[in-house]
């Protein structure tokens, strides 16, 4: 790994991050358009969660992680505080990993 | 307009802190394991720390360390990292106004654009609160990330397993918690379910980063339905 690679990754990533806000300045986005963009971002986030719950570098991440995320999701749905959700998800995953 | 005086703003920030702090803690452990993995596979500590500060996108950093130390060509690692980070462009389109007015805020705020900050912002409904959530989460996580990578590299091998304590489940679960309230809106729910389904099914076919981008197609499920409610709702509901 070289500094050149790091700088190229950083520059490309920053360009993609900055492109959104700059483009957003050029157009007047309607309220409905804005809502659709938020929905698109939520869809990406959801997909990111689903993929990182299920996969580790392209192959199935194993049941313990998936179960931990699902237990966290159910707790969150039932209104548990954020901290409890995160600890429960990690705890379930760690315990299942130790047992399986 | 919402939070006008100083006390309101302070209490709004205080409200965010427990959640932001636990997210930051989970991120710190991931960062420490990245540092440890990098150092134990021969990447100089200064280089991985510089990368953490300049790139600030953990997934792509782990990918690049993993690929290059496994002997992949640098260009492969670079393309993989860019692809994985391409989701930041649509994030920025959605949050462009949340960062605030002025080019300075956009230049700096864009560097803080990570999944977690996006999730904290979108979990709020009012613009002033969205802005506060974005900046509090973004700045906190940024301040935690590079130092924890450095610390992990210094402490070394013992921290090399990101799956230690099940913390690999903590970040997705935290993000899920922030996304859930928005799913009460039926059209958002349809879009997210379809997007998740598309992403999970396409990972084995494509790259992980590409699969997440393909999920964007799920957004069409949020478009107002004509009379045939059945077809799309059914499609999304199977996830």
């Amino acid at each position: 790994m070289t500094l050149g690679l790091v700088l190229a990754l950083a520059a490309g990533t920053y360009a993609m991050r900055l492109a959104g806000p700059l483009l957003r300045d050029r157009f007047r986005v309607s309220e409905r358009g804005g809502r659709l963009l938020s929905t698109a971002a939520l869809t990406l986030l959801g997909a990111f969660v689903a993929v990182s719950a299920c996969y580790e570098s392209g192959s199935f991440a194993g049941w313990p992680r998936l179960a931990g995320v699902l237990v966290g999701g159910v707790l969150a749905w039932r209104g548990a505080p954020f901290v409890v959700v995160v600890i429960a998800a990690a705890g379930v995953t760690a315990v299942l990993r130790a047992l399986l | 307009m919402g939070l006008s005086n100083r006390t309101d703003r302070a209490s709004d920030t205080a409200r965010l802190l427990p959640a932001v702090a636990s997210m930051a803690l989970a991120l710190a452990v991931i960062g420490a394991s990245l540092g440890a993995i990098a150092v134990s596979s021969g990447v100089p500590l200064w280089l991985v720390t510089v990368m953490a500060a300049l790139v600030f996108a953990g997934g792509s950093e782990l990918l690049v360390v993993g690929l290059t130390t496994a002997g992949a060509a640098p260009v492969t690692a670079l393309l993989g990292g860019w692809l994985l980070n391409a989701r930041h462009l649509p994030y920025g389109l959605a949050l462009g106004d949340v960062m605030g007015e002025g080019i300075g805020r956009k230049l700096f705020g864009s560097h803080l654009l990570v999944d977690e900050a996006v999730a904290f912002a979108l979990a709020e409904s009012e613009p002033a609160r969205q802005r506060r959530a974005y900046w509090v989460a973004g700045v906190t996580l940024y301040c935690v990330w590079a130092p924890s990578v450095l610390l992990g590299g210094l402490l070394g091998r013992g921290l090399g397993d990101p799956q230690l304590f099940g913390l690999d489940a903590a970040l997705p679960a935290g993000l899920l918690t922030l996304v859930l309230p928005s799913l009460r809106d039926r059209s958002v729910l349809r879009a997210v379910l379809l997007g998740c389904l598309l992403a999970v099914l396409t990972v084995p076919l494509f790259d992980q980063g590409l699969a997440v981008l393909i999920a964007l197609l799920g957004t069409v499920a949020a478009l107002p339905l004509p009379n045939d409610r059945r077809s799309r709702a059914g499609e999304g509901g199977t996830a």
Side-chain angles (χ1 to χ4, degrees):
Chain A
M1 209 171 90
T2 60
L3 183 59
L5 173 59
V6 167
L7 293 179
L9 178 63
T13 303
Y14 183 67
M16 289 186 280
R17 280 178 167 144
L18 188 59
L22 291 187
L23 284 171
R24 187 72 192 255
D25 271 354
R26 309 243 151 189
F27 308 98
R28 229 27 279 157
V29 179
S30 70
E31 196 182 318
R32 249 190 70 191
R35 237 185 344 229
L36 202 59
L37 285 174
S38 294
T39 304
L42 286 164
T43 304
L44 278 176
L45 274 176
F48 185 71
V49 169
V51 167
S52 44
C54 298
Y55 295 98
E56 177 69 43
S57 20
S59 45
F60 185 51
W63 293 109
R65 185 195 293 181
L66 187 55
V69 175
L70 288 176
V71 167
V74 170
L75 285 174
W77 188 255
R78 305 294 301 270
F82 189 91
V83 186
V84 174
V85 172
V86 169
I87 293 175
V92 166
T93 302
V95 167
L96 285 179
R97 233 173 237 149
L99 293 178
L100 294 178
Chain B
M1 297 292 258
L3 306 157
S4 44
N5 70 54
R6 190 167 280 275
T7 349
D8 279 354
R9 271 181 278 157
S11 71
D12 193 40
T13 305
R15 176 183 62 88
L16 289 164
L17 281 182
V20 172
S22 38
M23 190 73 102
L25 195 65
L27 201 70
V29 177
I30 308 284
S33 64
L34 169 64
I37 289 169
V39 168
S40 61
S41 38
V43 178
L45 182 55
W46 68 268
L47 187 57
V48 71
T49 309
V50 165
M51 175 165 76
L54 294 182
V55 178
F56 189 40
S60 64
E61 294 167 38
L62 275 164
L63 181 78
V64 167
V65 168
L67 284 180
T68 51
T69 55
V75 76
T76 312
L78 183 59
L79 289 176
W82 277 347
L83 191 57
L84 195 58
N85 289 342
R87 67 182 185 283
H88 295 97
L89 202 157
Y91 281 161
L93 277 176
L95 289 192
D97 291 345
V98 168
M99 290 174 195
E101 299 299 318
I103 190 70
R105 276 177 174 266
K106 299 223 149 126
L107 287 174
F108 182 44
S110 293
H111 193 50
L112 306 177
L113 192 71
V114 283
D115 302 284
E116 293 79 7
V118 173
F120 271 104
L122 291 178
E124 305 288 340
S125 46
E126 199 192 329
R129 291 190 161 211
Q130 284 193 323
R131 179 162 311 174
R132 191 158 318 279
Y134 180 80
W135 282 95
V136 169
V139 169
T140 308
L141 296 173
Y142 187 71
C143 291
V144 162
W145 181 245
S148 64
V149 170
L150 176 64
L151 198 65
L154 289 173
L155 293 176
R157 293 162 192 278
L159 293 170
D161 186 6
Q163 308 204 336
L164 201 67
F165 308 128
L167 276 153
D168 51 318
L171 278 185
L175 282 174
L176 180 58
T177 309
L178 294 170
V179 171
L180 274 179
S182 307
L183 303 185
R184 272 195 284 263
D185 182 329
R186 284 291 170 153
S187 62
V188 176
L189 178 66
R190 285 199 304 269
V192 171
L193 286 179
L194 182 57
C196 287
L197 192 64
L198 286 171
V200 168
L201 291 180
T202 50
V203 168
L205 305 176
F206 309 109
D207 169 272
Q208 217 156 304
L210 192 58
V212 170
L213 289 182
I214 287 171
L216 269 181
L217 296 174
T219 312
V220 298
L223 294 172
L225 297 174
N227 285 329
D228 61 334
R229 295 188 65 87
R230 247 175 350 103
S231 57
R232 284 211 188 284
E235 215 176 323
T238 52

